[in-house]
Amino acid sequence: MGIAESTPDELPSDAEEQLRSGDQQLELSGRRLRRLPSAVCALSRLQKLYVSGTGLRELPEEIEELRELRILALDFNKLERLPDGLCRLPRLTRLYLGGNRLLALPADFAQLQSLRCLWIEGNFLRRFPRPLLRLVALQSLQMGDNRLRALPAELPRMTGLRGLWLYGNRFEEFPPALLRMGRLHILDLDRNRLGGFPDLHPLRALRVFSYDHNPVTGPPRVADTVFLVGEGAVERMAERDEPTPRPPPRRPARAFEDEEEEDLLIGGAGSRALGAPGVSLRALEAAPGLGT
């Protein structure tokens, strides 16, 4: 027997029980929802809302009434656009939009100044959304499996960025703007069309660089502290004085001294962290000097 589809404007029968727990969290993932029940937008104290894999096609403008919302998961749905109301959530820190049908982001998206983690992988973005350039506090940006060919010269304005996932796009040349992202810890360019790399020593904070499945003949020039994943990476790291990296642990290791920063960079929840390509996550786990 399949899961029953909820009436459009009512809360599911177990919602009251979920909210009674006191943590102001509502889990609607896996249900059949073409639109978000209007009653959800009346939950003004809600802090976490998960609506993943429901078949959702649209969001109401009234979502802006969720002024206390911190985490919003809308991944693996059928959204083609986002309402302006979503851009007026002043406390939102994590937003998961992967696996939808988005072609662009609203101009008002730049109002999400509390946002720290944005996962928008697996959409139809052909251009880097310019509103993101104004999110200077954003730390984790997941844009894998889109259709990007270039990055804007203004990218270094995003001074808070620590993790940037660009795997599975259409880059044929290493984007020059990346060389001025001196605070990046993680950079993933797997599965593009890159034939070579510049000297990456300017990326002084880089800890993990993944470039697998590109038509390159060898690894880039990087600091000896950078863990590499790609053609010739094992041989290059074996030439260093440091020991060969240990096999990856069964769970993500601590990569950063600040637990909140680590949590943001790997996606917050284990299931969402695993949404990144496996090779990149394994690289993060096994990187020398990044474990507990």
Side-chain angles (χ1 to χ4, degrees), residues 137-150:
L138 192 68
Q139 295 182 20
S140 175
L141 179 55
Q142 229 291 18
M143 299 189 72
D145 287 328
N146 276 282
R147 301 178 182 185
L148 302 176
R149 296 179 181 272

Side-chain angles (χ1 to χ4, degrees), residues 5 8 48 76 91 100 126 145 164 184 212 253 272:
E5 186 168 350
K48 304 175 185 178
F76 306 110
R91 292 177 173 79
N100 278 284
R126 294 181 178 274
D145 287 328
L164 180 57
L184 272 184
D212 211 8
R272 292 180 215 290

Side-chain angles (χ1 to χ4, degrees), residues 3 19 34 43 48 63 80 83 95 112 137 148 156 163 166 173 180 213 233 239 246 248 266 268 277 288:
I3 301 174
L19 297 171
R34 293 197 174 190
L43 301 173
K48 304 175 185 178
I63 197 169
E80 297 182 1
L95 178 57
L112 294 172
L148 302 176
L166 296 167
E173 297 181 356
R180 294 184 288 125
H213 302 101
E239 296 172 359
R246 65 188 183 281
I266 64 173

